[in-house]
Amino acid sequence: MKYKKIMCFLAVVLLAYSMLLLTSCNKHEKLSDALSNDSIYALIYEVQNSYDNISAYSDEDNLYINGDDLIGYVYENEFTTAVRNSSSISINNEKITVDLFYDVNDNLLTARTDEVNLGILSTNNDTVILEDYNSNQIYKIDIYKKVAEPLLPTTAFGFSYDEYSSLSDKYNTIFWFENPTVNKSFTKLAYWSNKSIINGNPYLEGGIWVMDLMSGTEYKLNLPVNSANIMSNQINWIDDETLLFVTHEEEQMSFYKHNLVNNNTEKITALPPTFVHIADNIMLYSEKDTIVIWNLTTLQNQRIPTPSTISIERIYRNNNKIAFTNRQDNSTIIVDTSSGKLDVYDSEFDNAISRVGGWNSNGELILNVFDVESANIKEIYKINEVKKNEID
Amino acid sequence: MRLISMLLSIILTVLALNTNVFAITIDYTESYTSINASANFKSPFRTSSGNEQNKTVNEKFSQMRLWRGSQADTHEGVDFTASKGTNIYAVYQGVVKVVNTSNSDLKFVIIEHAIGSTYVYSVYVHLYTISVSVGDIVTENSIIGTSGPPDNDVYGYHLHFGITSNYSNTYSNLIWIPTYDFYKNSACFNNGRDLDYMYGFRYDGINKKVYLSGYFKGDSSETREAFNQMLMYYRVGSGNWQLVTMQRVGTSYEYSYDLSSLGFPANTIVQAIFVGTVTSTIDNAGGGFHWQYYPAKYKVPPLNPNSLSSSTSYVSMRILNSAIINSLLLHGESLDTNNYYEIIV
């Protein structure tokens, strides 16, 4: 009799425990309500607390969740689960995993890898361009054949990596490539490197290299600037044939655009050392109580006063609108470059960090909200600009 | 009824084993272990798609060197090779506490990180441009600036990075602490081992041995130079330091010593200083001072700590039950700053 009671008690405990597990396994719940009726933030996706140690992020149309097979993307204004296909590819006898994500029509949405020292530069149909700092090589991967073709020659000016490496000391180290970037039409690759030559000997001096992805040929740009002063981080495509680059001279940075077809280099502006944000042919930086925006296509600039000193996390452009998070107060700022108007959306998120994630294909601004403690994403919102204007 | 009480006693036993009921509080003033337990920092470098990136370590934390060819000192942070203009990321979420641009060669940013109830600070030095302001809330995806310094001739282009237990707008007031524990679970920098000259202090209760690891890493080199010896100086109270030599574990960079062989009775508190030495011929390894202590001192100290003219930090260990050591804690100040004579990074 006693055993029966004990067994019953254990069964009840087991049942309750199972219910608890089932509840906590409820993965992601889509919500459509807002913070409040007057809120300008519309909650569109909630990442439940059922995952331990997950991190997630969204950019533009895609939602990524690490550590799990789920990835969502915006399809007909709804987040939809993408099809994931993990592909194992051999590079230098090392197996690496590249995760490929497809939409409902079997189009490749994006690719990712979690491996240290690797980066996905670009995807196009059945091709992924991958940078690998372990082997100092950039690969063109055929995702169907699972073949990785090395793009960079193993020598520059006839000298190998090891020969350049032997020149390295504490003050100057060989960088075979840095910050590679592929143009929109997937025809050219540009990167920074300090592999150079002087009097027929290998020499470490910075410069920009361009590779034709069709023919595989590459060359170092001959620019009318002191090549040694070209900065490694700011090499951007303005269009398929035009690059933006930056030089430094102690306390001055100079911005240039260079056209590869007519070999023309044009100076845009010069600034004291300033962190400059560049995205989609827009260059933006803040001065005291002002943001300065350059249109890199027209080379026109405008200055827009800000309500206070701001600290910009990252900029996202959608036609004439530029959005960013002000790290000082977690507010979201949208600048309309055609009207010169600046809208500030104060953060309504308690105990959380909010960051602009990008514009979705409907022209709505996506906002990621992170938990302060874990820095993991917990909710994704979109901003209702109409509502903001109503409240104003 | 008997079954229930049996079950209860099993549960209590399991609970007792899983919670450290045998822990004993020790009279220490500083404990890195309690700071480091739960924080996994990221690399300050990222690839194009945001993956963590390795960079070559030029000088490890607490690695001795010859500064400007003559003075033997200890490096207070970690130097990474980085081309000028490399984007630098916050290594952990936090709040920007200091942005100092008063010296263009030494522009630095300090970020405060809450680790449980403790605060530690990541420091980024020799920046060229800075994208953050004091009070900014940053995450691991935040770019805080680009590496410099403006010129290559004094320091060379690199990032000087480190962790401190305080923050200050005055660089020389910073108290640097070991870096390894924040990266020991990382896939970068040889699982954090490339960051500190000596690291991974631990006790193996089964073999009753203390362990410490370390190696030297030269400028812009991937070569890891093993110590030619790891010494342990120990004492009880304020007596003289006694010397024993630790044994290298196989061909690894780890060294061990069986503490039970010293025959201390239970409850003895033993203090220890470890000295890792490399051969004098290694380039830029401190010249005539080719060793360093664990815990580290700023100026390279005498090989024998009995010759020290100032107080020193040490590891404090309490012996329990015939050489069962329960807790290993760093005692005293994190770095001896009595011998500061120049701001060097």
Side-chain angles (χ1 to χ4, degrees):
Chain A
M1 197 60 186
K2 271 181 190 171
Y3 283 116
K4 263 188 182 171
K5 276 184 181 171
I6 291 166
M7 291 306 286
C8 279
F9 173 70
L10 285 176
V12 168
V13 169
L14 196 65
L15 188 65
Y17 185 60
S18 309
M19 292 295 285
L20 193 70
L21 277 181
L22 280 173
T23 310
S24 66
C25 284
N26 180 15
K27 290 189 173 181
H28 298 94
E29 186 180 337
K30 194 185 292 182
L31 301 173
S32 55
D33 59 333
L35 282 177
S36 68
N37 288 337
D38 289 333
S39 176
I40 51 174
Y41 298 104
L43 181 59
I44 54 176
Y45 212 83
E46 184 175 34
V47 181
Q48 293 284 32
N49 294 326
S50 54
Y51 291 107
D52 288 332
N53 302 319
I54 73 159
S55 61
Y57 63 98
S58 72
D59 62 39
E60 300 173 354
D61 290 346
N62 296 328
L63 165 69
Y64 307 88
I65 296 176
N66 300 330
D68 194 77
D69 286 344
L70 187 67
I71 180 174
Y73 66 101
V74 175
Y75 182 71
E76 295 180 347
N77 203 25
E78 297 286 347
F79 274 112
T80 307
T81 302
V83 176
R84 171 176 166 155
N85 177 16
S86 292
S87 196
S88 181
I89 292 151
S90 182
I91 291 180
N92 274 350
N93 299 322
E94 296 276 337
K95 291 274 184 196
I96 66 153
T97 301
V98 175
D99 295 328
L100 306 163
F101 299 96
Y102 298 89
D103 68 11
V104 287
N105 299 317
D106 211 24
N107 297 317
L108 182 64
L109 284 167
T110 187
R112 327 183 31 212
T113 174
D114 290 331
E115 316 249 356
V116 164
N117 275 347
L118 301 187
I120 305 285
L121 294 181
S122 187
T123 58
N124 181 37
N125 298 326
D126 55 355
T127 307
V128 170
I129 305 286
L130 179 135
E131 60 178 335
D132 177 6
Y133 288 95
N134 294 316
S135 61
N136 286 309
Q137 186 54 272
I138 299 171
Y139 294 94
K140 186 177 180 180
I141 298 173
D142 184 317
I143 58 175
Y144 291 108
K145 293 179 184 167
K146 297 188 178 181
V147 173
E149 173 198 348
L151 290 175
L152 300 183
T154 53
T155 60
F157 305 110
F159 300 101
S160 67
Y161 176 86
D162 287 343
E163 285 172 295
Y164 279 103
S165 187
S166 68
L167 304 174
S168 298
D169 59 23
K170 184 182 176 184
Y171 295 94
N172 212 0
T173 305
I174 176 67
F175 295 99
W176 201 247
F177 71 88
E178 290 277 287
N179 298 305
T181 173
V182 177
N183 67 358
K184 250 184 187 159
S185 66
F186 214 76
T187 54
K188 286 191 170 65
L189 168 78
Y191 64 91
W192 183 94
S193 174
N194 61 350
K195 51 196 181 189
S196 188
I197 188 167
I198 188 167
N199 300 327
N201 295 313
Y203 182 64
L204 299 178
E205 183 180 271
I208 299 171
W209 290 69
V210 174
M211 172 178 282
D212 184 323
L213 286 175
M214 304 295 113
S215 65
T217 56
E218 69 164 7
Y219 61 99
K220 186 179 180 182
L221 284 184
N222 187 12
L223 297 164
V225 297
N226 184 349
S227 182
N229 289 347
I230 296 173
M231 290 181 71
S232 64
N233 70 323
Q234 289 292 21
I235 295 166
N236 294 269
W237 290 100
I238 294 176
D239 59 43
D240 272 341
E241 300 292 349
T242 311
L243 283 165
L244 171 98
F245 68 92
V246 184
T247 64
H248 64 85
E249 279 171 35
E250 197 152 345
E251 288 305 313
Q252 179 166 290
M253 298 166 70
S254 298
F255 294 76
Y256 297 89
K257 62 191 284 189
H258 176 81
N259 186 280
L260 297 173
V261 176
N262 60 24
N263 204 28
N264 183 46
T265 307
E266 193 174 356
K267 188 168 181 175
I268 301 170
T269 188
L271 300 170
T274 306
F275 191 87
V276 174
H277 301 265
I278 297 174
D280 296 328
N281 290 356
I282 287 286
M283 188 169 105
L284 184 150
Y285 53 91
S286 61
E287 292 180 347
K288 199 183 176 196
D289 297 340
T290 305
I291 55 169
V292 184
I293 303 169
W294 282 84
N295 182 317
L296 295 173
T297 309
T298 63
L299 295 192
Q300 299 294 307
N301 72 85
Q302 61 189 129
R303 303 173 70 85
I304 299 175
T306 56
S308 59
T309 303
I310 56 170
S311 179
I312 300 163
E313 172 77 356
R314 188 164 296 172
I315 63 168
Y316 297 88
R317 182 187 181 189
N318 180 37
N319 297 321
N320 59 333
K321 288 187 177 175
I322 302 167
F324 54 85
T325 301
N326 179 8
R327 286 186 292 223
Q328 282 283 293
D329 58 7
N330 255 336
S331 63
T332 301
I333 294 178
I334 300 179
V335 182
D336 188 326
T337 54
S338 55
S339 66
K341 191 170 164 256
L342 181 144
D343 273 333
V344 179
Y345 296 77
D346 292 332
S347 176
E348 295 178 23
F349 307 104
D350 295 330
N351 201 31
I353 304 168
S354 63
R355 291 286 185 264
V356 172
W359 299 90
N360 70 17
S361 50
N362 295 323
E364 296 164 328
L365 190 64
I366 300 299
L367 208 66
N368 298 319
V369 176
F370 298 84
D371 181 74
V372 167
E373 296 272 312
S374 65
N376 289 338
I377 202 166
K378 58 177 191 177
E379 290 154 337
I380 299 171
Y381 289 80
K382 65 181 178 187
I383 278 186
N384 188 333
E385 291 185 74
V386 176
K387 193 95 184 175
K388 157 78 175 169
N389 294 330
E390 282 173 8
I391 293 167
D392 283 349
Chain B
M1 206 56 194
R2 198 184 303 160
L3 184 69
I4 292 171
S5 59
M6 262 178 66
L7 273 170
L8 273 174
S9 44
I10 289 169
I11 289 166
L12 282 174
T13 309
V14 170
L15 275 174
L17 286 171
N18 281 312
T19 50
N20 196 359
V21 292
F22 306 109
I24 292 170
T25 307
I26 290 187
D27 57 337
Y28 60 92
T29 57
E30 185 103 20
S31 167
Y32 299 141
T33 48
S34 62
I35 292 173
N36 298 334
S38 61
N40 294 320
F41 283 12
K42 283 197 167 179
S43 166
F45 309 103
R46 308 294 160 80
T47 66
S48 301
S49 54
N51 296 29
E52 287 186 89
Q53 189 184 353
N54 267 315
K55 291 280 188 188
T56 301
V57 171
N58 267 338
E59 283 181 8
K60 303 173 91 175
F61 168 81
S62 84
Q63 181 166 295
M64 60 286 180
R65 63 181 180 179
L66 273 186
W67 175 246
R68 292 179 180 164
S70 58
Q71 298 165 348
D73 74 13
T74 295
H75 195 223
E76 291 185 313
V78 182
D79 277 355
F80 295 104
T81 60
S83 58
K84 183 170 175 176
T86 301
N87 286 335
I88 306 300
Y89 287 76
V91 297
Y92 200 71
Q93 68 265 23
V95 178
V96 176
K97 302 300 277 189
V98 174
V99 173
N100 187 315
T101 58
S102 57
N103 179 337
S104 64
D105 280 336
L106 285 168
K107 286 181 194 168
F108 64 95
V109 166
I110 301 178
I111 302 173
E112 180 181 77
H113 309 288
I115 314 292
S117 57
T118 308
Y119 291 99
V120 296
Y121 303 84
S122 57
V123 185
Y124 313 79
V125 191
H126 299 308
L127 298 178
Y128 183 59
T129 65
I130 293 175
S131 71
V132 291
S133 306
V134 171
D136 276 7
I137 300 163
V138 294
T139 70
E140 296 161 345
N141 296 320
S142 299
I143 298 174
I144 60 164
T146 57
S147 64
D151 279 328
N152 194 27
D153 51 356
V154 179
Y155 296 100
Y157 297 141
H158 73 284
L159 174 73
H160 178 95
F161 168 78
I163 312 292
T164 60
S165 60
N166 68 338
Y167 72 93
S168 170
N169 209 25
T170 305
Y171 187 83
S172 57
N173 287 346
L174 297 175
I175 298 169
W176 301 81
I177 62 174
T179 319
Y180 165 75
D181 278 335
F182 295 92
Y183 287 91
K184 62 189 175 190
N185 298 319
S186 166
C188 290
F189 317 124
N190 192 23
N191 307 108
R193 294 181 287 245
D194 277 354
L195 301 177
D196 291 1
Y197 181 64
M198 286 189 267
Y199 57 88
F201 180 54
R202 66 186 179 92
Y203 175 67
D204 176 348
I206 295 169
N207 295 310
K208 295 173 181 162
K209 286 180 177 176
V210 286
Y211 290 85
L212 185 63
S213 301
Y215 55 85
F216 181 90
K217 201 160 181 303
D219 290 347
S220 295
S221 166
E222 295 300 337
T223 306
R224 299 180 176 103
E225 302 280 357
F227 294 164
N228 57 2
Q229 56 181 357
M230 176 83 92
L231 310 172
M232 185 179 83
Y233 283 93
Y234 69 93
R235 72 179 181 188
V236 176
S238 57
N240 274 348
W241 296 100
Q242 307 295 316
L243 171 66
V244 292
T245 301
M246 298 178 79
Q247 298 298 310
R248 187 172 181 184
V249 180
T251 56
S252 74
Y253 297 110
E254 191 169 52
Y255 301 80
S256 71
Y257 190 80
D258 181 356
L259 270 191
S260 65
S261 66
L262 297 177
F264 286 115
N267 292 320
T268 304
I269 294 176
V270 180
Q271 301 166 6
I273 296 169
F274 301 88
V275 186
T277 78
V278 292
T279 58
S280 59
T281 53
I282 290 180
D283 188 36
N284 199 23
F289 298 87
H290 41 97
W291 56 80
Q292 186 47 270
Y293 284 12
Y294 180 92
K297 293 175 77 67
Y298 177 68
K299 188 177 175 182
V300 177
L303 188 60
N304 184 336
N306 290 308
S307 309
L308 272 170
S309 57
S310 58
S311 64
T312 188
S313 304
Y314 47 82
V315 174
S316 183
M317 302 174 279
R318 172 170 288 202
I319 309 290
L320 294 178
N321 304 325
S322 306
I324 296 171
I325 298 170
N326 177 257
S327 297
L328 303 166
L329 298 161
L330 295 178
H331 185 98
E333 66 276 14
S334 58
L335 278 174
D336 182 357
T337 56
N338 293 335
N339 292 312
Y340 268 126
Y341 52 86
E342 194 176 350
I343 301 168
I344 302 169
V345 291

